[in-house]
Amino acid sequence: MAVARVKRERFTQVDRKPHAMSMLAAGVPIPAHPLALTSTGRLDEKRQRALSRYYLAAGVGGLAVAVHTTQFDIRSPQVGLFRPVLELAMEQIRACDRPVAAIGGVCGTTGQATQEALLLRDLGYDAALLSLAALRSSDDDALIEHCREVGRIIPLIGFYLQPSVGGRALSYAFWRRFVEIPEVAAIKIAPFNRYQTLDVVRAVAESGRDDIALYTGNDDNIVIDLLSTYRINVDGKLIEKRIVGGLLGHWSVWTRSAVEIFNRCRQIADAGSPIPPDLLRLANEVTDANAAFFDAANGFRGCISGLHEILWRQKLLTDKRCLDPEETLGPGQLQEIDRVCRSYPHLSDDAFIEEHRDQWLRA
């Protein structure tokens, strides 16, 4: 696939990385990028670009590409979309008139993961979101060595992915060792589990490092994660940690609204202001919407299809299909999506998309 060469860049590759990495450290909203397919299952380049343009216009601080929401099967030799999808997103990031963090997913055993990391580095990505799902039976020693090998190539974002969608349990002991790897820049905490979330926060606090940014991937608890302060007693000293950003599949839809919510949460958390009751109500509304989009009732079977359903309704996608034809909405999920769309119109950005969609779809 030929990707058009960008003739002008406001930020050179050398200049862009410090900007992007400092933004990543400070905390930004990052959607996990979906995959746009035609009715015949081929990559829809026009719609793929339009999705990136939508997210950038909505004000996100980064894009996460080739991750779970993009569908891991893009790496299959029969599909062959790993590089093309990464290139298309980078094309739009480079065309943007502000710095944007470029995050690429890396998975597989060490041989595959290091090759993917090399490609990300060569394409100009800032960091790798490192999935350990392929190393289900590996012990902590093997996991840490795997992470070190990838970290020698590109900065790392640790990834605690819930087992329901392909992740594995990771102990506090693992995270305590992981945060000693110098190349770790951030951790996406996405176990959908309060106990396991605390394991990661405590590991970072006890490491003494203040250069690792915590990002929520807990799509079931987004607003509360962004508002919370964690206070950890480390050798008699109280260390405070906050989740400063979000890297979320949920934010691939209703993205402009998500950015507004993120900014409001950060303003309150940064100021240490009391949390308004309406924001706590909003937290429950966002979680309820996520339950429908991610198909929580069916063990997250339709978590990608639900996002496609929204993007299709907004005419950003022309087809709702996934690479795996068996990956569809779960039983009753369509009715749940209808319900939350009716219940929470203030969370939607339909009008924003309607106003700008034609512009984003231009070649």
Side-chain angles (χ1 to χ4, degrees):
M1 182 203 71
V3 175
R5 185 181 300 276
V6 178
K7 295 182 179 179
R8 296 183 62 187
E9 295 180 12
R10 179 169 177 174
F11 296 95
T12 68
Q13 187 68 8
V14 172
D15 291 337
R16 189 179 62 80
K17 282 189 175 295
H19 280 89
M21 293 305 288
S22 63
M23 289 173 57
L24 183 68
V28 291
I30 303 175
H33 204 305
L35 181 68
L37 297 175
T38 66
S39 60
T40 59
R42 299 179 66 83
L43 176 64
D44 189 334
E45 294 186 22
K46 180 179 179 180
R47 302 280 166 171
Q48 193 72 16
R49 288 189 182 94
L51 287 175
S52 297
R53 291 168 179 170
Y54 160 44
Y55 301 136
L56 294 170
V60 303
L63 294 179
V65 191
V67 294
H68 175 252
T69 303
T70 323
Q71 302 175 56
F72 290 133
D73 285 348
I74 61 172
R75 294 163 170 81
S76 165
Q78 293 77 21
V79 175
L81 291 181
F82 183 60
R83 183 178 187 122
V85 166
L86 289 168
E87 288 177 332
L88 283 168
M90 181 54 71
E91 171 193 306
Q92 297 308 311
I93 290 171
R94 286 178 167 164
C96 190
D97 63 356
R98 58 186 174 84
V100 175
I103 312 301
V106 165
C107 65
T109 56
T110 304
Q112 176 184 338
T114 52
Q115 288 302 307
E116 292 186 2
L118 285 167
L119 177 60
L120 292 181
R121 188 184 68 185
D122 291 346
L123 292 177
Y125 277 77
D126 299 300
L129 181 66
L130 182 58
S131 169
L132 300 176
L135 306 174
R136 289 185 177 278
S137 60
S138 299
D139 62 17
D140 284 0
D141 288 341
L143 291 176
I144 293 298
E145 182 55 33
H146 173 83
C147 296
R148 289 188 184 279
E149 287 293 322
V150 179
R152 293 186 178 103
I153 300 169
I154 192 169
L156 298 180
I157 300 177
F159 188 11
Y160 202 160
L161 177 65
Q162 60 162 321
S164 299
V165 292
R168 56 162 289 173
L170 296 164
S171 67
Y172 163 80
F174 163 79
W175 289 111
R176 185 63 186 83
R177 294 177 64 185
F178 178 80
V179 297
E180 297 296 335
I181 299 173
E183 294 81 11
V184 173
I187 301 174
K188 171 180 173 174
I189 310 171
F192 286 37
N193 180 297
R194 294 292 90 200
Y195 303 116
Q196 293 167 339
T197 295
L198 281 164
D199 282 343
V200 179
V201 176
R202 184 162 66 94
V204 175
E206 293 184 356
S207 74
R209 291 185 61 175
D210 58 6
D211 60 338
I212 295 177
L214 296 175
Y215 275 67
T216 182
N218 290 319
D219 301 74
D220 65 336
N221 202 59
I222 298 169
V223 174
I224 300 302
D225 270 359
L226 292 171
L227 291 171
S228 298
T229 297
Y230 297 83
R231 185 172 293 173
I232 312 295
N233 189 318
V234 181
D235 297 328
K237 182 180 179 181
L238 293 179
I239 305 296
E240 289 192 347
K241 289 292 177 184
R242 283 185 21 226
I243 293 174
V244 296
L247 198 169
L248 298 149
H250 182 92
W251 283 353
S252 68
V253 299
W254 295 359
T255 310
R256 191 185 192 206
S257 172
V259 170
E260 292 171 351
I261 292 170
F262 171 84
N263 289 336
R264 187 179 177 201
C265 289
R266 279 299 304 268
Q267 183 179 24
I268 290 170
D270 289 347
S273 303
I275 300 172
D278 75 291
L279 198 52
L280 297 177
R281 289 194 296 269
L282 183 67
N284 292 330
E285 294 171 355
V286 171
T287 296
D288 191 25
N290 177 260
F293 298 161
F294 272 31
D295 195 24
N298 296 297
F300 305 99
R301 167 182 159 178
C303 61
I304 296 176
S305 297
L307 302 173
H308 287 193
E309 175 69 28
I310 296 297
L311 295 170
W312 175 78
R313 292 183 185 198
Q314 295 170 323
K315 299 180 183 178
L316 285 168
L317 297 182
T318 57
D319 199 283
K320 296 181 280 186
R321 66 181 297 159
C322 295
L323 288 169
D324 180 355
E326 299 299 316
E327 192 165 356
T328 58
L329 295 175
Q333 187 182 4
L334 186 62
Q335 291 74 22
E336 279 296 285
I337 291 174
D338 287 339
R339 178 184 65 81
V340 298
C341 287
R342 289 193 306 269
S343 298
Y344 311 124
H346 53 288
L347 296 181
S348 171
D349 51 8
D350 290 355
F352 174 66
I353 291 173
E354 182 68 26
E355 180 182 357
H356 298 286
R357 185 178 54 242
D358 290 346
Q359 175 187 347
W360 300 331
L361 286 168
R362 293 173 190 156

